[in-house]
Amino acid sequence: MNRVTLANLADLPADMAGTMAHEWLATWNIAPKMQTELGGLVAAAGLAPLPDPASPKTGFSAQVAASVLRPLVRLVSQKEGLGWLKNRFRRKMIQAQGQKVEALKAYPLALNEALKRGDTEAAAFAERMGIALAAVVATLNLAPPESRVARPEWPDEHWKRWQGVQQIVLGGGVLEGVLGQHIYAAACQWLARWGVTQVQLHLFSQPRSLMLHGAARQFQEGPVLVLDAGHSALKRAVAEVSGGQVTKLELAPLLPTPYALSDGPALLKFLTEALAQTVPAGQRITQMAISLSAHLDQDGQIERASADSSFYGLLVGLPLVDALQESLQARLGYACSVKVLHEGQAVVNGLPGMDAALLLGTSVGGAFKA
């Protein structure tokens, strides 16, 4: 969804037409835009400067490139092989990503606080985000030729399916609080302005917890331990489910995404411990669901083709469900039923009756109802 190219819609601000969704709605770009357009707010909030920015063409920073290329002469002279270079590059990318995500998280929060104070510049900034969200939805619904050409990897069937979507649930950390309400209100107004009245947007009451609700609804009854493993943090909760509906959600403290880890087994152990530590003392919870910010194949394992696009790609090649069930049984002393799903399927299942979902966070995500 990041690279959906906005159509040239009537009255759309001139600097939006032809740009991509992530340029307006992902924290990777919200933060630098705030630095440029809301410098006073950024300074007043004491927000940390962003680390060395990534190149828009390559996706990695000059600092990362230098740290990899500097020892290249030694690599060639010692004939250590390309595997060494690839592994070093991946480690440096993960470390740089972690540093930047930490800095990025504070920007939407500061924008939300400014909106609470009635800051007019913040309100105008939020309205433009709402216009961009509406433009994304309208582009998906209208499927204009220029947007189709910009996404050659999307077949006609994909566009047709978006044209049939009528109910969209919205979630993700960017949509939390007053900021989310501003974005949502502006998006609804602009969709009506463009005559896209067949599509209804639904802002989830707890946007940041939407994936937890969707993960919990993978089970029909009883307590469910849920984990949303994202790129900004790991969210955890114990959910009570009745008839497939979440009746109660008790949140546990956030955990930072463990960017210091650099291999799959270590990350699997971390996830196991995160789940185990969420089980309340004296309770026995046997149903667990994980929403993962990584694409999965039909067997529920990390998709190899897109593994490098996610930190959780470290888990590629591991039988996730079996491995988690085995490690949890060893840790807790009893058998558990574990389900792992892509965050897109978690978010679209968070609210009953939805055709699709859009997620605004570190990046822009989307999913159809399976």
Side-chain angles (χ1 to χ4, degrees):
M1 202 58 60
N2 278 310
R3 294 184 292 111
V4 170
T5 299
L6 306 188
N8 189 14
L9 301 159
D11 299 323
L12 184 70
D15 58 346
M16 281 192 188
T19 61
M20 296 183 183
H22 72 87
E23 296 179 50
W24 303 94
L25 300 171
T27 54
W28 288 99
N29 291 296
I30 293 171
K33 276 186 178 295
M34 285 179 62
Q35 288 182 323
T36 302
E37 301 176 24
L38 300 174
L41 187 158
V42 169
L47 297 179
L50 298 178
D52 187 21
S55 160
K57 292 184 179 181
T58 64
F60 59 87
S61 69
Q63 183 181 21
V64 171
S67 70
V68 174
L69 296 176
R70 197 176 294 119
L72 185 57
V73 174
R74 182 174 62 84
L75 166 67
V76 174
S77 64
Q78 296 180 1
K79 299 181 180 180
E80 295 182 21
L82 292 178
W84 175 89
L85 182 61
K86 181 179 180 180
N87 289 336
R88 181 182 176 89
F89 178 77
R90 182 174 178 80
R91 286 196 302 271
K92 291 295 183 180
M93 280 290 292
I94 288 172
Q95 292 169 6
Q97 183 183 35
Q99 292 171 359
K100 189 166 186 180
V101 167
E102 279 301 311
L104 291 171
K105 289 191 296 186
Y107 282 77
L109 295 175
L111 184 57
N112 187 65
E113 291 301 316
L115 289 168
K116 288 181 182 179
R117 299 191 300 269
D119 188 303
T120 55
E121 290 186 345
F125 190 95
E127 182 179 10
R128 282 170 64 81
M129 292 175 67
I131 295 171
L133 175 58
V136 171
V137 174
T139 298
L140 293 170
N141 179 261
L142 301 173
E146 65 271 22
S147 297
R148 286 176 179 250
V149 169
R151 292 305 299 268
E153 72 277 17
W154 277 13
D156 288 342
E157 292 75 14
H158 195 81
W159 287 102
K160 287 178 181 177
R161 191 165 180 188
W162 272 113
Q163 287 179 294
V165 164
Q166 296 183 340
Q167 308 293 332
I168 300 177
V169 62
L170 305 173
V174 170
L175 290 167
E176 196 76 26
V178 181
L179 174 58
Q181 294 168 14
H182 272 71
I183 295 172
Y184 171 71
C188 291
Q189 291 171 5
W190 279 78
L191 283 175
R193 184 171 181 170
W194 291 322
V196 186
T197 55
Q198 68 275 29
V199 180
Q200 294 186 356
L201 302 181
H202 304 266
L203 178 62
F204 195 65
S205 58
Q206 300 170 295
R208 198 185 302 275
S209 299
L210 181 55
M211 287 76 76
L212 294 174
H213 281 256
R217 293 184 68 236
Q218 301 305 301
F219 294 92
Q220 288 296 305
E221 299 288 340
V224 182
L225 198 155
V226 287
L227 173 67
D228 171 25
H231 284 111
S232 58
L234 276 76
K235 306 172 188 71
R236 304 171 292 161
V238 176
E240 288 292 337
V241 181
S242 177
Q245 304 302 317
V246 178
T247 59
K248 186 178 180 182
L249 191 74
E250 293 187 3
L251 296 173
L254 293 175
L255 291 176
T257 304
Y259 285 108
L261 301 180
S262 59
D263 66 84
L267 180 54
L268 185 75
K269 183 178 180 181
F270 180 90
L271 295 176
T272 298
E273 193 62 25
L275 287 164
Q277 290 182 3
T278 311
V279 178
Q283 290 192 31
R284 183 185 179 100
I285 299 179
T286 60
Q287 300 180 135
M288 304 189 182
I290 300 177
S291 163
L292 203 59
S293 184
H295 291 286
L296 306 176
D297 61 23
Q298 59 185 6
D299 297 320
Q301 299 184 31
I302 299 295
E303 188 180 74
R304 290 187 177 276
S306 58
D308 287 343
S309 66
S310 167
F311 166 69
Y312 298 98
L314 290 172
L315 298 167
V316 69
L318 296 176
L320 288 181
V321 172
D322 290 344
L324 283 165
Q325 290 182 160
E326 181 179 339
S327 59
L328 282 164
Q329 181 169 359
R331 173 66 171 78
L332 296 172
Y334 56 83
C336 300
S337 174
V338 176
K339 296 186 179 182
V340 180
L341 64 159
H342 177 251
E343 64 179 2
Q345 283 308 305
V347 73
V348 80
N349 279 286
L351 188 66
M354 296 296 103
D355 301 319
L358 290 175
L359 185 66
L360 307 187
T362 307
S363 59
V364 182
F368 297 119
K369 180 76 172 181

